[in-house]
């Protein structure tokens, strides 16, 4: 963990983090022995192999794929079932120990950092797919199940779960961060695809947001707790089970690549495709820098131009029609002929290039680190925001290829930086703040899918008025009065 | 207001309602003069014509389309803008007067009843469509705008708002009750289609759930307040503005009617159509009793059999394909040939018959009242639940034609009853409880789209475990500590 990385993580509000950490440390030391007592109790619940205090394990569970860093948790527990999670949470509650939930550690805004130390709940041992109901298009999973594991499990059912953030994240982790990804334009995000959640609250109570075992597709029965916990980033409770919507695997899929003379032409095409009612499954934008990086990393030879990666799902006749409408639109906007990928292998190669964007960006500067920032804006503002962002990158002397879910107005800058260059770290930090503020200025959000975590707490306060922040703080205080659930995140 | 209607409304928990009302009345009388002082203050905010205490106006604003009845509000105010709503709410807060928000009064579970008297906020004067962004597929509306008014407004833009609960409800009322309707199988419910809400809280504070003026299609920035207020039925705040997702008007639409030998055959067809990935826009089930009533009421001659009303949206080629797949499936399940409606006029006539179901049911017993109850179950359980429901109706000697949004597993029984027959009122009440409990037994919900209101509070406690109810009560107490927002509803 280099000091440069630390700096980027903490620069957001170092004063606040450090002072609140000091206050907590004081309190924590005052309760000396609390941790030892708790660990003994954890062992009696989860056995010796269900509790780890080794530095390597703790460090591994104290960071995600972002550059945000803080101290690791004091101990990691590996519960095997919800009853164990509940028992462990009760111990934490009794001893006032923070709880940080850990899925796969593939988050991008420092959501699993143990700002105040405490206990990391790694849920990887709870990895069963439960209660598949193919005729009802739903399934219930334990928190250790990743979306790829679920889709392997579903292989012979004709069904799939389409939300795919790129990394093979756990489904409850994806629910916790309101993940989405390339398919969201057609299938929605986790907000649209979670039907019910089992949650262990701060005091160890187990609740089911839509009632135990319930899985109707629609509900109007009381407050929508499911969507309060989706996106709560572990700050309101521990997600221990998720009931998800499934979809029929489309009869056919076809993917294509199309280059454009300008960002505007690519985005105009996207808007027109959506207006024409084409049920496009994926429509991904890559800027010239990103395409260049992908070409190099994956030995491809796409023109170095603003580019759309497209995917169509449907029957062969429907595919034919979707493609013909889309081709007409892209041609009118000056797009190139489509480079096609219809068979599974070519399609996989194409989407691998898109999903490898992170590594392709990294390969632009070997030995450096990447930091992916994410904003979402009304789609009509996207060309202006992207063009200004590219200018800003040049002015700031930074490398930041751009890729995005353009159908949702959501895009990422893959910042590639030398973490040991304090000046560059500062410039990246300032640039990402400027980008977020530009998104806010045009009616967008500072994060469309990565979440707030550690990295965007200050920006969230700019996005929402103080009154709205107060409502969020009130909800947090009600559900977690001791502030034990992933403290220091979001708010 | 007949005593019979009163009886049905109150029978749900008469002891509870009456005792809590008495306690409140005592408190209210102790604060004598509070109402007069408040009304004087209301007049200074909204003018004389913005405040009404006339009995007729109060009674009109104290009931919806359900049979649930309680006392009317003490006064009705007609604010013209959010600032007025806020000022009026502050007065209510100061004087501890309950606030009941009134849209169009088309609710079905007694949501607008003034259980504890208080002040009805009628929002009909706030009726402007604001901030239409056609290229971003979004629009912001004031609370008095109904979905039909919005769609008229949008007519020349090529866009529409598809959520349609049948009645011409106000869009903020639809958000407040998490409304859905016939198009939900394709376009989702209000939960899926509200991007942002302006809300006046119990103390008069104005918040914007997703930040003021923000309208990105995706957000991962903090707690999902939007979907906490959607479905909160006026118990957490007053919705004064909604930003909604719009859709491109499909190139073509075609509707069809198909009869089946059994409920099972109709539902099997539905499941298979969804599994085949047909993006069906509407798939509505009507049982034999309902079809008979529709035939009589609308001078139609459909076979008296379990029936599906279907609608397809898309290009002409896509329509052709959707229809051919669907026809093959229905034929294999013993369905009749499709009776077609492709031109606008025939389509309208067909859907008018579906939307007139309520009146068609009423016409079965002239002089009686109708009560529409609603449950939602996993679709695989639908045939069993509908068949048992029909048996129960016969055993209970009740008339209750069934119609439902079968693609979502959601259906309604249109109970037709003589409100002056106490025995029949009791039987209806017992039947609706049994139906809801059957839905709960198979993993469903006591309400898929009508909400809890007055009518289903006891059932909600059966649907959710006490711990989940406590979380809901905690949220309510945090956001409305004086319990002024539509008291006596949901919880």
């Amino acid at each position: 963990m280099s000091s440069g990385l630390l700096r980027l993580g903490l620069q957001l509000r170092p004063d606040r983090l450090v002072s609140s950490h000091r206050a907590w440390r004081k309190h924590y030391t005052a309760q000396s022995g609390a941790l030892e007592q708790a660990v003994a109790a954890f062992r009696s619940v989860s056995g010796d192999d269900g509790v780890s205090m080794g530095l390597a394990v703790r460090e591994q569970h104290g960071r995600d794929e972002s550059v945000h860093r803080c101290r690791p948790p004091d101990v990691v527990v590996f519960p095997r079932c919800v009853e164990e999670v509940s028992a462990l949470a009760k111990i934490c509650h009794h001893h006032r120990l923070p709880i940080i939930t850990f899925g796969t550690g593939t988050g991008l805004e420092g959501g699993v950092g143990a700002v105040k130390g405490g206990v990391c709940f790694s849920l990887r041992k709870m990895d069963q797919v439960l209660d598949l109901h193919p005729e009802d298009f739903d399934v219930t999973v334990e928190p250790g199940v990743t979306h790829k594991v679920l889709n392997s499990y579903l292989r012979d059912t004709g069904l799939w779960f389409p939300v795919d953030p790129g990394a093979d994240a756990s489904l409850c982790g994806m629910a916790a961060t309101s993940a989405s990804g390339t398919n969201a334009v057609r299938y929605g995000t986790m907000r649209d695809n979670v039907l019910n959640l089992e949650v262990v609250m701060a005091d160890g109570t187990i609740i089911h947001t839509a009632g135990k075992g319930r899985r109707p597709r629609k509900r109007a029965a009381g407050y929508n707790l499911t969507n309060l916990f989706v996106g709560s980033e572990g700050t309101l409770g521990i997600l221990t089970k998720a009931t998800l919507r499934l979809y029929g695997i489309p009869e056919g899929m076809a993917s294509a690549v199309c280059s454009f003379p300008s960002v505007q032409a690519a985005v105009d095409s996207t808007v027109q495709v959506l207006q024409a009612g084409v049920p496009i499954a994926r429509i991904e934008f890559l800027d010239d820098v990103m395409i260049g990086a992908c070409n190099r990393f994956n030995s491809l030879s796409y023109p170095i131009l603003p580019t759309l990666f497209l995917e169509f799902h449907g029957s062969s006749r429907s595919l034919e029609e979707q493609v013909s409408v889309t081709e007409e639109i892209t041609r009118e906007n000056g797009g190139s002929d489509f480079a096609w990928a219809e068979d599974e292998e070519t399609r996989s190669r194409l989407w691998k290039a898109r999903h490898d964007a992170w590594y392709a960006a990294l390969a632009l500067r070997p030995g450096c680190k990447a930091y992916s920032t994410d904003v979402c804006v009304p789609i009509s503002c996207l060309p202006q925001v992207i063009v200004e962002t590219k200018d800003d990158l040049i002015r700031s002397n930074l490398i930041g290829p751009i890729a995005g879910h353009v159908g949702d107005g959501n895009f990422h800058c893959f910042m590639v930086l030398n973490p040991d260059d304090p000046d560059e770290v500062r410039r990246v930090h300032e640039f990402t703040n400027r980008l977020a503020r530009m998104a806010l200025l045009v009616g967008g959000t500072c994060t469309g899918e990565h979440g707030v975590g550690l990295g965007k707490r200050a920006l969230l306060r700019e996005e929402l008025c103080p009154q709205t922040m107060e409502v969020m703080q009130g909800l947090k205080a009600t559900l977690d009065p001791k502030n034990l659930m992933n403290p220091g995140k979001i708010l």
Side-chain angles (χ1 to χ4, degrees), chain A residues 211-484:
Chain A
K212 190 169 183 179
R214 312 216 164 280
R215 51 191 182 85
R217 288 177 74 83
K218 295 196 322 196
R219 290 182 78 237
Y223 304 140
N224 186 345
L225 296 186
T226 306
N227 268 307
L228 182 59
F229 285 95
V230 170
S232 63
E233 303 188 30
T235 64
L236 300 180
I238 305 167
L239 311 188
T240 51
K241 225 172 259 171
T243 303
L244 305 168
R245 284 181 72 155
L246 301 175
Y247 294 78
I249 294 176
E251 192 183 315
M253 298 187 182
S255 303
V257 178
C258 181
S259 324
F260 291 86
S262 65
V263 175
Q264 184 79 49
V267 175
D268 284 352
S269 301
T270 306
V271 171
Q272 289 160 28
V273 165
L274 296 174
Q275 274 169 343
V278 175
I280 195 135
R282 292 170 163 173
I283 186 159
E284 293 288 302
F285 172 81
L286 295 88
D287 79 343
D288 51 344
V289 183
M290 188 79 254
I291 271 289
C294 287
N295 277 349
R296 265 205 269 180
F297 189 75
N298 299 82
S299 305
L300 300 165
S301 54
Y302 295 121
I304 310 290
L305 285 169
T307 300
L308 290 180
F309 280 22
L310 306 140
E311 189 162 275
F312 307 92
H313 292 176
S315 66
S316 55
R317 277 166 71 189
S318 158
L319 287 185
E320 208 177 288
E321 184 179 32
Q322 292 180 46
V323 166
S324 111
V325 172
T326 306
E327 270 188 317
E328 196 185 318
I329 289 170
T330 54
R331 207 174 300 126
E332 275 172 17
N333 285 289
S336 69
D337 287 346
F338 281 11
W340 279 106
E342 268 183 284
D343 63 290
E344 173 73 32
E345 198 193 319
T346 326
R347 275 203 323 107
S348 295
R349 205 165 343 119
L350 189 156
W351 288 105
K352 189 173 176 303
R354 167 63 186 89
H355 283 141
D356 282 349
W358 170 278
Y359 303 102
L362 267 177
L364 291 173
R365 280 178 79 187
C368 286
K369 296 280 174 187
Y371 168 58
S372 170
T373 191
D374 128 83
V375 297
C376 189
V377 299
I379 194 169
S380 63
C381 308
L382 201 52
Q384 171 208 348
V385 172
I386 291 182
V387 167
E388 286 188 23
T389 299
K390 289 173 70 67
D391 285 350
D392 191 348
L393 286 165
I394 292 168
R395 274 199 313 274
S396 310
N397 190 24
L398 291 170
I399 296 179
I402 290 173
H405 317 310
V406 69
D408 299 313
N410 181 205
F411 74 92
H412 311 300
C413 251
F414 296 94
M415 310 304 304
V416 191
L417 71 156
N418 173 1
D420 295 319
D421 177 346
D423 184 63
E424 188 172 1
V425 169
R426 180 188 52 78
R427 279 181 287 125
V428 166
H429 174 58
E430 288 170 2
F431 163 80
T432 55
N433 278 354
R434 275 195 304 276
L435 172 54
R437 287 187 184 120
M438 187 161 30
L440 297 183
L441 204 65
V442 298
T445 174
C446 70
T447 172
E449 58 179 25
H450 293 176
V452 175
L454 270 181
K456 289 193 165 163
R457 293 170 305 156
L459 288 163
L460 182 66
R461 286 194 293 275
E462 296 180 33
E463 178 161 337
L464 302 173
C465 56
Q467 293 81 357
T468 306
M469 287 300 295
E470 263 172 45
V471 168
M472 289 194 186
Q473 277 148 354
L475 299 178
K476 165 75 174 172
T478 303
L479 300 184
D480 178 22
K482 294 184 180 177
N483 190 25
L484 300 180

Side-chain angles (χ1 to χ4, degrees), chain A residues 160-164 179-194 245-253 279-282 311-314 319 322 408:
Chain A
W160 71 315
F161 183 72
V163 184
D164 176 2
S180 45
T182 53
N183 288 309
V185 65
R186 169 135 174 195
Y187 299 96
T189 73
M190 291 305 282
R191 293 192 177 192
D192 308 300
N193 289 295
V194 180
R245 284 181 72 155
L246 301 175
Y247 294 78
I249 294 176
E251 192 183 315
M253 298 187 182
I280 195 135
R282 292 170 163 173
E311 189 162 275
F312 307 92
H313 292 176
L319 287 185
Q322 292 180 46
D408 299 313

